Amino acid sequence: MAATSSTASAMAVAATSPTIATAPFSSLPLRLRLRPKPLLFTSRLLLPVPKSSWVESVSEEGEEEGVEEDSEESGAAGEDDDGEDNDEKPRPEPVAASGFEFASPPEGYVEPAPFDELPPESPEDVAAAYEALYGPAFSGETVMGSNVFEVKVVDPVDMDREQRPSDEFSERVVQVNRVTKVVKGGRQLSFRAIVVVGDMKGHVGVGVGKAKEVTEAITKAAMNGRRNLVTVPLTKYSTFPHRADADYGAARVMLRPACPGSGVIAGGAVRVVLEMAGVENALGKQLRSKNPLNNARATIKATQMMRQFKDVAAERGLPMEQLWK
């Protein structure tokens, strides 16, 4: 009796339970087949949602997406049937070659012969071409008849004060120091002389010489100054065209132009260099080291940084009248 009653109650519950709408698994999209089973979140436990509710939602979504996919496939098929592809852009037409043409040669133009077909050059031709570009050779031989002056170099040690070159340059001694060189056998004493050479017309040079005697050291320094001559830019008032500052080692020199009648307002080696260069109105100042050699060379460097109006006009390609404006 107990078994019969339990079977009857089970049949009654099955008859009264609602029918579950199921969809075939193969008809669902792939992303929906792998969709996890939804869970119902409660305060204590995670209970699964009844199968009837989520199966119906899945079937409805699958039907809607299937409709959309069918429409997209039909649209793509229609494009294939028409033979038109919207993704591919029309290719531009090839550009025609430009109509550039080289200029025609002038009348009477004769094309030169190739280099390989020219006759070989003789040593005289090579020497003449070299002299046309760079001047006479160092040996003094000339092919084009240029005036070549042979310079005879004389060792200044073998020269006396009376045998010095009689040119327009004058000399002024800035400093003579006794220097010592320590060697294995003891100390070797010698003299170092600093001499400024100039012609009072814008050319000046600073020279240094060492020798066992003072006169020989001064002669060496004078010859060294003549080998290192520079040109100082001067205006018609015998002053600088503009101001300039220069450094040489630890020395720094400041040079400023001055009005006529001012004279050379400077001291030390700066004054000697300016006077030997022919500067009559200028201001000079030694700002750092008092070393005569460094200050003299700093003065030379400062004068080489100056430029006159004609030099600036030549660099810009303008007449001086337009530059003054």
Side-chain angles (χ1 to χ4, degrees):
M1 290 295 291
T4 304
S5 60
S6 61
T7 304
S9 61
M11 294 175 61
V13 170
T16 57
S17 61
T19 58
I20 300 175
T22 59
F25 186 77
S26 60
S27 63
L28 297 178
L30 178 60
R31 67 184 187 85
L32 296 178
R33 298 177 192 174
L34 304 178
R35 185 172 181 177
K37 185 177 181 181
L39 300 177
L40 178 62
F41 293 90
T42 60
S43 59
R44 292 187 177 182
L45 301 176
L46 297 177
L47 301 178
V49 180
K51 186 176 180 180
S52 59
S53 59
W54 70 269
V55 170
E56 292 177 357
S57 62
V58 168
S59 61
E60 293 176 0
E61 292 178 0
E63 292 176 358
E64 293 178 359
E65 293 183 359
V67 173
E68 293 179 358
E69 291 177 357
D70 295 339
S71 62
E72 291 179 359
E73 292 177 357
S74 61
E79 291 178 358
D80 295 340
D81 295 337
D82 297 340
E84 296 179 358
D85 190 0
N86 296 330
D87 295 338
E88 185 178 356
K89 297 182 181 179
R91 296 183 179 178
E93 298 181 359
V95 181
S98 60
F100 176 78
E101 296 180 359
F102 292 95
S104 58
E107 297 181 359
Y109 173 77
V110 178
E111 186 176 359
F115 177 78
D116 301 337
E117 299 179 3
L118 295 176
E121 295 180 343
S122 61
E124 291 76 11
D125 298 338
V126 175
Y130 181 88
E131 185 175 351
L133 290 175
Y134 305 104
F138 180 77
S139 60
E141 298 179 0
T142 176
V143 181
M144 304 178 67
S146 303
N147 295 327
V148 180
F149 300 95
E150 183 179 358
V151 180
K152 183 178 181 181
V153 180
V154 182
D155 190 359
V157 177
D158 301 333
M159 298 172 57
D160 297 333
R161 298 185 65 88
E162 292 77 10
Q163 297 178 354
R164 292 184 182 179
S166 57
D167 50 14
E168 57 182 357
F169 290 95
S170 57
E171 306 169 3
R172 185 177 297 182
V173 179
V174 177
Q175 185 187 47
V176 177
N177 276 347
R178 188 179 67 177
V179 295
T180 304
K181 180 180 179 181
V182 180
V183 296
K184 183 178 180 181
R187 296 181 179 181
Q188 294 181 357
L189 300 179
S190 60
F191 295 91
R192 186 194 71 170
I194 303 174
V195 178
V196 178
V197 181
D199 60 351
M200 307 292 183
K201 298 179 182 178
H203 299 89
V204 66
V206 178
V208 181
K210 292 181 182 180
K212 298 293 183 181
E213 302 292 336
V214 176
T215 56
E216 295 180 1
I218 294 175
T219 304
K220 280 187 175 183
M223 294 296 294
N224 183 255
R226 284 178 171 83
R227 296 190 186 100
N228 300 310
L229 292 174
V230 297
T231 302
V232 179
L234 298 176
T235 64
K236 63 180 180 180
Y237 301 110
S238 297
T239 186
F240 302 127
H242 56 84
R243 59 178 58 190
D245 299 339
D247 299 341
Y248 190 91
R252 182 178 180 83
V253 171
M254 176 185 68
L255 300 181
R256 298 290 184 268
C259 59
S262 300
V264 178
I265 304 175
V270 179
R271 183 184 186 89
V272 177
V273 173
L274 297 183
E275 289 181 351
M276 299 303 292
V279 180
E280 298 179 0
N281 304 292
L283 304 176
K285 180 66 176 177
Q286 301 177 6
L287 299 179
R288 294 180 184 172
S289 174
K290 304 301 180 183
N291 188 299
L293 180 58
N294 286 349
N295 281 287
R297 289 178 174 174
T299 305
I300 296 292
K301 184 178 179 181
T303 57
Q304 298 307 296
M305 296 170 58
M306 300 178 183
R307 295 185 301 170
Q308 295 183 349
F309 282 99
K310 60 181 181 180
D311 301 332
V312 178
E315 290 180 2
R316 298 184 182 181
L318 302 175
M320 292 185 62
E321 295 79 7
Q322 185 175 355
L323 187 64
W324 276 100
K325 297 178 182 180

